[in-house]
RNA sequence: GGCGACAUAGCCAAGUGGUAAGGCAGAGGACUGCAAAUCCUCCAUCCCCGGUUCGAAUCCGGGUGUCGCCUCCA
């Protein structure tokens, strides 16, 4: 069965048919590095991190490119505000970005180009556009001529006339049409600039992604992704540029992540409710943030609040506990069958197929989470009824969660570890105290260990411990 | 004005024709010296109205509500 992807271009779910399987070329629009990323940005990066991992899980060879926008108006303004250069600003927030997404367990892309490293590619692309008649020079700026591209509006499903109705006309425009957008901006005093056939200047925002994706992939991308707010005009413009310059579609499948709201309100600077990842990871477990984001479908709007993070954390804890209990059970598991394996075996094979079915259907992570929880119950029942435990079965079930975690990364699955001698003897001491009904001593030892982050659980098969 | 999305229990959230996954919170029970963890049970007829159908949360029409894009905000 093929993976189905909802394509913004066609507004339908389509079977994934990459151009050169098993290769999947995948381009995600990255951050403008003028500030810390916020939780809405993080949603995008987490979602497509999971998409990438799932494609790999399904046997595809994914080549992921994600850019940094390190030159644009926001960069220049912010650098001026802070009295530093644009490259200094970029360097600082690229580092911050890397720290933030690393905390969120987002794996780095295979290539992470910066716009300023590809000025030559950008200039060449603009030259092709001029040569093909899709661009014009106006008073030192170069603009894309949207009137020349009849399919303009295909991604956002807007007619040019309708777009024109809503367009705002700035006084003193150098554009022929309000829909035209700048490819190359003439230098202003004090701004970073590069030489070009049209004089000193800098690239417009949209052109970099067309140029870099062409540089790295060289042909129509399999998947191009970003936040929903990039559909128009950013991605629309990228399509127009690549078509005008190279007469090919930029991408086969367009994926867009839904918005994230903060306490039912749009996140915005004027409302003062922007939550940066930098701050949030200090306050919450990054895995809880990941879990919350993946608990809704990626195209749906997602509400964010501290309360919801805590709620997500409680759910995630259930999986975390189950895994810890399974690892504990491994310590005294044997090789032979104990007679209670069948139910768990059935649950496992059902989980596998349900899981793939959910994820194949446009990456339905919420549905997939349901599978993880259902199987967790089966595992817990086995832990309750299946003693003496069967090692191969425990390993198999844990193996499933390891595979899932390779995709979602929402629990810590550490390998079984030996008991620290001191902890071991304290537990033995407590067991003795309990045996002689000296509960005061037993509780004292339990409290002591708790202080050190060790939680004890008395099970019918002996005392277990785990780290809090 | 144009285009579009969404509306499922206290909260989060799947489910696109056959009589509502899962999680959180809550209630009761089991286990436990107590606890922790866990298990069992309980907790919705799917915004409203009409239609199609043997049968609809799921399709169609009409409402109502919320939100988004059309302003280089992911």
């Amino acid at each position: 069965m093929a993976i189905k992807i909802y394509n913004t271009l066609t507004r339908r779910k389509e079977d994934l048919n990459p151009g050169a399987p098993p290769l999947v070329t995948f381009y995600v629009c990255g951050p403008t590095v003028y500030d810390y990323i916020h939780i809405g940005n993080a949603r995008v990066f987490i979602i497509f991190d999971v998409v990438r991992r799932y494609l790999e899980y399904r046997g595809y060879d994914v080549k992921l490119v994600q850019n940094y926008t390190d030159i644009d108006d926001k960069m220049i303004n912010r650098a001026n505000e802070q009295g530093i250069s644009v490259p200094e600003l970029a360097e600082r927030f690229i580092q911050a970005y890397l720290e933030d997404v690393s905390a969120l367990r987002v794996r780095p892309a295979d290539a992470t180009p910066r716009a300023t490293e590809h000025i030559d590619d950008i200039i060449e692309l603009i030259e092709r556009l001029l040569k093909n008649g899709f661009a014009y020079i106006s008073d030192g700026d170069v603009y894309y001529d949207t009137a020349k591209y009849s399919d303009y509006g295909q991604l956002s499903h807007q007619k040019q006339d309708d777009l024109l109705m809503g367009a705002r006309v700035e006084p003193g425009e150098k554009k022929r049409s309000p829909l035209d957008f700048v490819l190359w901006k003439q230098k202003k005093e004090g701004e970073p600039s590069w030489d070009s056939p049209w004089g000193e200047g800098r690239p417009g925002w949209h052109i970099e992604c067309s140029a870099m994706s062409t540089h790295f992939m060289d042909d129509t991308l399999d998947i191009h992704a970003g936040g929903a707010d990039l559909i128009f005009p950013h991605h629309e413009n990228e399509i127009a540029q690549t078509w005008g310059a190279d007469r090919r579609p930029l991408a086969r499948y367009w994926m867009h992540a839904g918005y994230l709201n903060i306490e039912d309100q749009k996140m915005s600077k004027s409302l003062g409710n922007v939550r940066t990842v930098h701050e949030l990871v200090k306050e919450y477990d990054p895995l809880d943030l990941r879990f919350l984001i993946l608990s809704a479908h990626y195209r749906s709007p997602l509400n964010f609040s501290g309360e919801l993070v805590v709620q997500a954390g409680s759910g995630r804890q259930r999986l975390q506990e189950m895994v810890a209990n399974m690892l504990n059970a491994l310590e005294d598991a044997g090789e032979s069958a104990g007679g209670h394996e069948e139910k768990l075996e059935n649950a496992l094979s059902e989980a596998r197929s349900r899981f793939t079915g959910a994820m194949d259907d446009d990456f339905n992570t919420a549905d997939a989470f349901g599978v993880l929880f259902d199987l967790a119950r089966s595992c817990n029942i086995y832990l309750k009824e299946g003693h003496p435990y069967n090692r191969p079965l425990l390993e198999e079930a844990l193996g499933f969660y390891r595979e899932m975690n390779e995709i979602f990364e929402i629990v810590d699955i550490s390998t079984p570890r030996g008991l620290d001698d001191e902890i071991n003897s304290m537990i033995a001491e407590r067991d003795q105290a309990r045996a002689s009904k000296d509960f005061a001593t037993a509780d004292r030892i339990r409290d002591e260990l708790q202080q050190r982050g060790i939680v004890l659980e008395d099970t019918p098969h002996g005392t277990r411990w785990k780290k809090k």
Side-chain angles (χ1 to χ4, degrees), chain A residues 76-144:
Chain A
I76 292 167
N77 293 338
R78 185 61 57 89
N80 287 339
E81 281 166 31
Q82 303 199 346
I84 59 176
S85 72
V86 169
E88 280 170 341
L89 180 74
E91 198 53 43
R92 181 173 157 204
F93 284 110
I94 285 173
Q95 287 313 312
Y97 169 82
L98 289 170
E99 283 171 28
D100 288 344
V101 295
S102 153
L104 293 171
R105 310 292 206 279
V106 173
R107 290 183 183 161
D110 299 304
T112 54
R114 307 178 186 192
T116 57
E117 295 169 345
H118 291 274
I119 301 295
D120 290 348
D121 290 321
I122 289 169
I123 289 172
E124 284 169 23
L125 183 58
I126 296 172
E127 284 186 313
R128 293 202 293 282
L129 282 166
L130 282 164
K131 185 173 135 240
N132 293 343
F134 281 88
Y136 57 91
I137 301 169
S138 176
D139 191 25
D141 293 344
V142 184
Y143 292 96
Y144 189 95

Side-chain angles (χ1 to χ4, degrees), chain A residues 245-425:
Chain A
D246 299 328
R247 300 301 172 127
R248 61 176 161 80
L250 178 54
R252 292 185 179 81
Y253 307 94
W254 287 86
M255 297 182 71
H256 292 96
Y259 288 90
L260 181 146
N261 296 315
I262 303 285
E263 283 161 17
D264 293 316
Q265 288 188 303
K266 182 171 177 171
M267 185 171 15
S268 76
K269 290 191 185 71
S270 56
L271 287 168
N273 62 356
V274 175
R275 308 293 304 272
T276 65
V277 172
H278 194 69
E279 293 300 322
L280 286 170
V281 295
K282 290 179 191 159
E283 194 175 344
Y284 302 104
D285 187 327
L287 294 185
D288 289 347
L289 297 171
R290 238 181 120 91
F291 187 97
L292 172 62
I293 282 166
L294 295 174
S295 67
H297 188 86
Y298 78 89
R299 284 188 279 116
S300 303
L302 176 68
N303 198 23
F304 183 92
S305 71
E307 194 183 345
L308 289 171
V309 180
V310 171
Q311 190 169 303
S314 301
R316 193 181 74 76
Q317 194 60 30
R318 183 175 167 77
L319 294 176
Q320 189 71 67
E321 290 283 355
M322 182 276 303
V323 166
N325 290 335
M326 293 283 278
L327 287 168
N328 269 328
L330 218 43
E331 285 174 13
D332 67 332
E335 299 303 319
S336 60
H340 285 82
E341 284 84 357
E342 198 178 321
K343 271 199 302 193
L344 181 53
E345 279 165 0
N346 291 340
L348 247 172
S349 77
E350 189 191 329
R352 283 186 199 285
S353 72
R354 277 178 61 202
F355 177 83
T356 306
M359 290 298 285
D360 274 5
D361 185 12
D362 195 31
F363 311 98
N364 193 335
T365 53
D367 206 6
F369 275 20
V371 177
L372 300 188
F373 279 103
D374 279 340
L375 183 62
R377 168 166 285 112
S378 298
C379 288
N380 284 327
I381 289 172
Y382 179 72
L383 290 176
K384 190 178 151 82
E385 299 176 346
H387 196 268
Y389 302 123
N390 180 249
R391 177 180 301 280
L393 183 57
L394 288 176
E395 297 275 19
E396 194 190 339
L398 278 165
F400 176 77
Y401 280 101
R402 284 204 173 87
E403 283 175 32
M404 298 310 98
N405 213 41
E406 273 299 300
I407 298 164
F408 297 136
E409 201 156 344
I410 46 173
V411 293
D412 281 320
I413 306 179
S414 46
T415 47
R417 75 292 149 185
L419 283 172
D420 178 89
D421 281 347
E422 191 192 351
I423 293 168
N424 200 13
S425 66

Side-chain angles (χ1 to χ4, degrees), chain A residues 51-70:
Chain A
V51 168
R52 172 208 201 175
R53 294 182 190 214
Y54 185 68
L55 291 173
E56 285 170 352
Y57 170 80
R58 294 287 267 114
Y60 288 105
D61 180 11
V62 180
K63 180 175 180 184
L64 177 66
V65 176
Q66 182 178 303
N67 67 292
Y68 293 111
T69 297
D70 61 347

